[in-house]
Amino acid sequence: MSASSRMRSSHSELVITPSQLAALPSSTTVPIDVTWFMPNVSRDPNAEFLEKRILNAQRMDLDVVASEHPLGLKHMMPTGEVFAQACEQIGVSPGSHVVLYDTHGVFSSPRALFMFKAFGHSKASILNGGLPRWIDEGHPTESCPVKDVKPAKYPAPTLKEDFVRSYEQIVKATAGGDGSTVVLDARPNGRFTGKDPEPRPGLSSGHMPSSRSLPFSNLLARQQGSSASAYTTLLAPSALLSEIEKAVGPSGLQRLKQKEIINSCGSGMTAAVIWLALKELGVDSALYDE
């Protein structure tokens, strides 16, 4: 029996629908807007959150809940203390079910999910289709000032070391050439090949030695809602498998399970889409985050 024939048709608890979110108990569920825009996009996610959001949602800015970097890189993984403080401020405790969403559909929410899981938070999901799908399916929103929430207690967690790879680790992995590590690049193929420029000034395009191109957009479906703008959703598991095997070859899923997998992109944001896709297929992987 092939891997695709054994693949489940629906997503795991990591990826939920608007109706599933609406059915969760409000007392223990915290919807969190984690929208992020590319640096060449002149939109303010914090202002847009105030204009329209899921009922009782909180906001988490991934560029703020982050560690400082000597090169000024944004949204690097925070320390456990910074993460815990951010959770406490929006009423999230270790027992809360956080549902992370963005206004693209699926774009920055996987990165936030990766962060929560890297710090061992057990109940965390993304909203598949994000705010646009929530609106399109008729669920309530609000635009009033954010209500004050009672601060929660969140002991500072320890980052799981197998989730993140450093610059030194990825240099070693890509220089080895023994095939024990697979690096998957989530950027558009034009940036991978060097044909198209990077969106950040001063950065050259191209790719790491031996890495493979797997554009994050290939793992998403574009939807056109009846009452909202177009948005993206994560592909079904069987379709995810097909796209990943295009990048790594037939029967690639079984081979990937035997290797170290590192996902990369321009800043560590969209690489998390590959991480989530692999998790949906039962494959663990790490992110290059430096």
Side-chain angles (χ1 to χ4, degrees):
M1 184 180 293
S2 67
S4 59
S5 64
R6 295 192 303 269
M7 196 62 55
R8 64 174 183 268
S9 60
S10 59
H11 287 293
S12 73
E13 68 280 358
L14 294 176
V15 182
I16 67 174
T17 65
S19 59
Q20 288 174 311
L21 170 55
L24 292 174
S26 59
S27 59
T28 55
T29 305
V30 184
I32 306 176
D33 184 319
V34 292
T35 302
W36 179 85
F37 295 112
M38 294 288 288
N40 57 349
V41 175
S42 57
R43 291 176 62 181
D44 183 347
N46 295 314
E48 292 184 15
F49 169 73
L50 295 176
E51 292 172 2
K52 183 173 289 187
R53 59 186 180 271
I54 290 176
L55 194 66
N56 298 320
Q58 298 295 313
R59 168 78 182 146
M60 183 174 282
D61 189 330
L62 298 179
D63 282 342
V64 173
V65 187
S67 294
E68 293 185 3
H69 192 280
L71 298 179
L73 302 179
K74 301 294 186 181
H75 50 261
M76 296 293 98
M77 284 293 289
T79 63
E81 289 75 16
V82 168
F83 173 78
Q85 184 180 36
C87 288
E88 289 180 340
Q89 290 173 347
I90 59 174
V92 171
S93 69
S96 301
H97 186 168
V98 297
V99 180
L100 308 152
Y101 74 90
D102 60 55
T103 59
H104 305 271
V106 175
F107 181 62
S108 50
S109 56
R111 171 66 190 206
L113 178 65
F114 173 83
M115 177 177 67
F116 272 88
K117 288 300 183 182
F119 281 116
H121 193 96
S122 60
K123 296 180 180 179
S125 311
I126 71 159
L127 181 62
N128 200 15
L131 181 62
R133 184 179 178 185
W134 175 266
I135 294 170
D136 192 56
E137 294 187 5
H139 297 285
T141 61
E142 61 183 1
S143 58
C144 55
V146 180
K147 302 180 181 70
D148 291 333
V149 296
K150 182 180 179 180
K153 294 293 184 182
Y154 205 116
T158 300
L159 178 68
K160 295 183 178 181
E161 293 183 359
D162 58 338
F163 271 66
V164 175
R165 294 294 180 269
S166 67
Y167 172 77
E168 291 77 15
Q169 288 172 318
I170 201 164
V171 167
K172 182 179 179 180
T174 55
D178 61 0
S180 62
T181 302
V182 176
V183 177
L184 299 175
D185 192 321
R187 296 172 302 155
N189 189 256
R191 289 164 61 189
F192 178 86
T193 62
K195 178 183 177 181
D196 298 332
E198 290 292 311
R200 296 167 183 81
L203 291 182
S204 59
S205 54
H207 61 272
M208 301 175 197
S210 303
S211 60
R212 298 178 182 235
S213 177
L214 179 54
F216 78 94
S217 58
N218 290 6
L219 304 173
L220 305 175
R222 188 170 178 82
Q223 312 288 349
Q224 182 62 57
S226 59
S227 60
S229 58
Y231 58 90
T232 53
T233 56
L234 190 69
L235 293 175
S238 59
L240 291 175
L241 175 61
S242 177
E243 290 299 328
I244 288 170
E245 289 194 333
K246 288 177 185 178
V248 301
S251 302
L253 190 63
Q254 295 306 314
R255 293 203 304 272
L256 287 177
K257 289 181 178 180
Q258 301 169 8
K259 298 178 183 292
E260 177 186 21
I261 308 166
I262 305 174
N263 306 305
S264 175
C265 60
S267 68
M269 182 63 69
T270 58
V273 177
I274 301 181
W275 169 83
L276 177 57
L278 290 171
K279 288 293 289 184
E280 288 295 276
L281 299 177
V283 179
D284 292 328
S285 62
L287 253 67
Y288 171 44
D289 188 73
E290 190 167 326

